[in-house]
Amino acid sequence: SLLQEILTLFVKVMAKYLKLDNEAKQKEAMTDWLKLNVGGTIFETSRTTLTSHPTSSLARMFQLNNNLPPTTITPDGVYLIDACPVGFSVILNWLRYKQLMLGGVKAEDVMPVADYFGLEELRRLLSKHMRKEKKTRSELADKIQEASSKIADSLEENSSKIAVSLEENTEWLEEKLGERLDSIEAVLNQVNDGVDEVQNKVTTIADELPDWEDLRSIKEVMLANLPGGGDGD
C-alpha cells in the first residue's frame, strides 16, 4: 500500500541519515584533541596521531569502539599513562612525522617504551639505529687505538733521536769546555809568569839602589866639594 511504501522509504532515509551522522561523529572523534599525563609530564596530541598505527596497543587504547579501554581518565579529561615521558616524546614525534627524532635521547632508552606500546615498526627502526651506533663506536675506538699507537711510536722514535742528540751535544759541550779551560789556564800561566817577571825586576831594582847610609855619605861628599861647604850637614 501507499502507506507501507512511505514507511519503508522513511526507514531507509532515517537509516542513511543515522549512518552518515554516526560516521561524521566517528570522524570528528578521531580528530579529538587529547591531553595525556605520561609519567608526570603533560602531552597534547590528536586521537588520529595516537591511532596512526592500528595494530599497536597504543592505537587500540584510543580507537573508538575498541575492546582495550584507555587508561584512567581524570575528571578534567586527562588520560593517565604510566610510562617514561622521555621515551614517549620520541614515540609521539615518530607517530607525527614518521621520522626517528632522538635528539639527546638514547635509542636503548626508547626501546622498552616502544615494546610496551607494541610499536613493532619503531622497534625495528630503533634496533637498526642501535646497530649503526655500535658500529660507529667500534670504528671510532679502532681509530683512537690506531692514533694512540702512532703517537706512542712517534714518541719512542723521537725520544731515541733526542737521546742521541743530547749525547752528541754533551760530548761537543765537554770538548768545547775543555778547550776553554785550557785557554784560561794558558792565560793564567802567562799572567803568573808576568807577575813573577815584574817581581824579579822590582827585586833587582831594589837591590841596585843604594841604602840610606850610602846616600848620606854621597850627600856629605857633595857638600864638602861645594864652595864654603863642609860647615854643616
Side-chain angles (χ1 to χ4, degrees):
S1 65
L2 179 60
L3 181 58
Q4 186 176 1
E5 290 179 0
I6 292 174
L7 289 174
T8 302
L9 180 61
F10 177 76
V11 169
K12 289 181 178 180
V13 171
M14 289 302 298
K16 185 176 182 180
Y17 172 78
L18 291 174
K19 181 179 180 181
L20 292 174
D21 185 60
N22 186 48
E23 289 177 352
K25 288 182 178 179
Q26 288 185 354
K27 184 175 181 180
E28 181 181 357
M30 290 299 291
T31 58
D32 287 346
W33 194 253
L34 305 179
K35 183 179 288 188
L36 291 74
N37 183 334
V38 182
T41 302
I42 300 299
F43 294 89
E44 293 188 19
T45 186
S46 67
R47 191 185 301 272
T48 301
T49 297
L50 294 172
T51 58
S52 58
H53 283 261
T55 59
S56 67
S57 58
L58 179 64
R60 291 198 299 272
M61 289 170 59
F62 293 95
Q63 284 172 347
L64 298 175
N65 302 322
N66 67 86
N67 55 3
L68 182 63
T71 57
T72 305
I73 305 176
T74 63
D76 55 348
V78 179
Y79 292 87
L80 302 179
I81 299 177
D82 187 16
C84 173
V86 176
F88 189 79
S89 65
V90 176
I91 289 174
L92 194 56
N93 280 331
W94 180 73
L95 292 172
R96 287 168 174 160
Y97 309 113
K98 302 301 180 290
Q99 293 183 6
L100 186 59
M101 302 167 63
L102 289 170
V105 183
K106 295 180 179 179
E108 51 265 31
D109 293 336
V110 183
M111 181 67 79
V113 188
D115 283 336
Y116 176 75
F117 290 115
L119 296 164
E120 291 298 326
E121 185 178 346
L122 177 58
R123 189 181 184 282
R124 288 193 294 271
L125 190 61
L126 289 168
S127 297
K128 182 179 179 181
H129 182 84
M130 290 167 64
R131 288 194 298 270
K132 184 178 179 180
E133 277 192 335
K134 184 177 180 181
K135 181 180 179 181
T136 301
R137 286 195 297 268
S138 177
E139 291 176 350
L140 181 60
D142 291 341
K143 288 181 180 179
I144 292 174
Q145 180 64 34
E146 182 181 355
S148 299
S149 298
K150 288 182 178 179
I151 291 172
D153 293 342
S154 178
L155 287 174
E156 184 177 356
E157 181 180 354
N158 288 332
S159 297
S160 300
K161 290 181 179 179
I162 291 171
V164 172
S165 178
L166 286 174
E167 184 177 355
E168 292 175 351
N169 288 329
T170 301
E171 293 176 354
W172 180 82
L173 287 172
E174 289 177 350
E175 181 181 351
K176 292 300 179 181
L177 182 58
E179 292 176 358
R180 291 296 181 184
L181 289 174
D182 292 341
S183 299
I184 292 171
E185 185 178 1
V187 171
L188 289 175
N189 289 333
Q190 291 177 2
V191 171
N192 290 332
D193 293 342
V195 171
D196 292 341
E197 184 177 355
V198 169
Q199 288 178 345
N200 292 331
K201 288 183 178 181
V202 170
T203 302
T204 301
I205 293 171
D207 292 339
E208 292 177 353
L209 287 175
D211 58 17
W212 177 252
E213 292 298 330
D214 293 338
L215 290 174
R216 185 177 180 85
S217 298
I218 293 172
K219 179 181 178 183
E220 291 176 352
V221 171
M222 292 177 64
L223 289 175
N225 292 325
L226 289 175
D231 294 336
D233 291 335

